[in-house]
Amino acid sequence: CDDRRDPNGGRDCCAAEPMTDLPPLREVIAAHGLSASKSLGQNFLFDEQLLARIAAVPGDLSGRNVLEVGPGPGGLTRALLRAGAKVTAIEMDRRCLPALAELGDAFPGQLTVIEGDALKIDHDALFEGEPYAILSNLPYNVGTALFTRWMGGEAWPPNWTSLTLMFQQEVAQRIVAQPGGSAYGRLAVLAQWRGTAKLAMKVHRSAFTPPPKVMSAIVHVTPAAMPDGVSASKLEQVTAAAFGQRRKMLRQSLKGVPGALDALETLGIDPQRRAETLDVGEFVVLARALST
Ligand code: SAM
């Protein structure tokens, strides 16, 4: 990248590379023959400034453990390493491993790469009980499954300290949605029950190679500290039933959930309301009433 030698010039790709002499990501892709695979949800980010901004979302990462799912050629990974993080990255595509090994050599002792499917790996075990932040430009085909896994389960609080995740914008909006709209549903209740979920930034489709059909957005979630006596599976049962028939009144949609109609009456929740009018707190009291 010649602009690096020009004190008055400097493209984005060079401006963010003063610390380590890494080749531009496009060169890494070409050198390792990493043509993007659709089935693996591969849409790569090359803009080093954008990647640095994403890595900055959870705050200072210096010396902190980070889990990255799907490092691919290592764009976000290098931003995390430059921020001083100790990164453990899970990548399913073994074609990416040589490029990631080169990156590891440039940041000795900071990068561990696990080859495998992130859905099948115990993430907590990778950090031996230590806390870790999660950052990922998620493969779209497994993003929601990973998110519900990180937010779900009965054990709480989790070992992860924050989630900073790229989703399709429509999914990101469903996570941060407020009651009353069509985006509000199971994902919003789950995310906002157990954490604080914010839309950290929108990312234009043109930032990716190849560009996906839709826009993307980064969601940042920090976990709520307090366990509140509600069973995650009970809340999931209630929201699945309620939003499974979201146009129906609760007295109809919750018919199949044992005790739900009585609980609505006890709690003073009008059974003629529809799921999308209940706020997260109302779903939580309903699930708590059914958990006991
Ligand atoms: N982090 C890179 C970036 O930002 O340019 C690549 C992101 S790309 C959207 C998603 C990555 O996840 C790909 O490298 C893909 O091979 C990987 N991947 C897909 N499914 C996976 C899975 N189940 N477990 C781990 N990695 C996976």
Side-chain angles (χ1 to χ4, degrees), residues 25 29 37 39-46 51 54 68-77 90-96 114 116-121 136-142 146 166 208-209:
L25 284 157
I29 302 271
S37 150
S39 63
L40 285 171
Q42 291 181 338
N43 301 97
F44 301 132
L45 288 171
F46 296 140
L51 289 161
I54 296 170
E68 184 191 3
V69 173
L76 180 58
T77 322
I90 306 173
E91 176 54 62
M92 212 172 165
D93 183 355
R94 59 169 42 202
R95 294 178 310 152
C96 298
I114 316 275
D117 180 347
L119 287 169
K120 295 186 180 154
I121 290 172
S136 176
N137 174 13
L138 286 174
Y140 289 148
N141 42 357
V142 293
L146 280 167
M166 180 88 74
F208 299 86
T209 302

Side-chain angles (χ1 to χ4, degrees), residues 112-185:
T112 305
V113 179
I114 316 275
E115 182 193 349
D117 180 347
L119 287 169
K120 295 186 180 154
I121 290 172
D122 177 347
H123 303 159
D124 285 351
L126 297 176
F127 298 94
E128 298 175 343
E130 296 280 314
Y132 57 98
I134 301 179
L135 285 93
S136 176
N137 174 13
L138 286 174
Y140 289 148
N141 42 357
V142 293
T144 310
L146 280 167
F147 183 73
T148 49
R149 174 173 148 187
W150 286 322
M151 295 303 301
E154 299 301 338
W156 203 263
N159 278 7
W160 53 264
T161 53
S162 64
L163 304 176
T164 305
L165 306 172
M166 180 88 74
F167 289 100
Q168 298 175 31
Q169 193 170 301
E170 175 261 329
V171 177
Q173 279 163 345
R174 285 202 274 135
I175 291 169
V176 302
Q178 296 301 306
S182 60
Y184 183 68

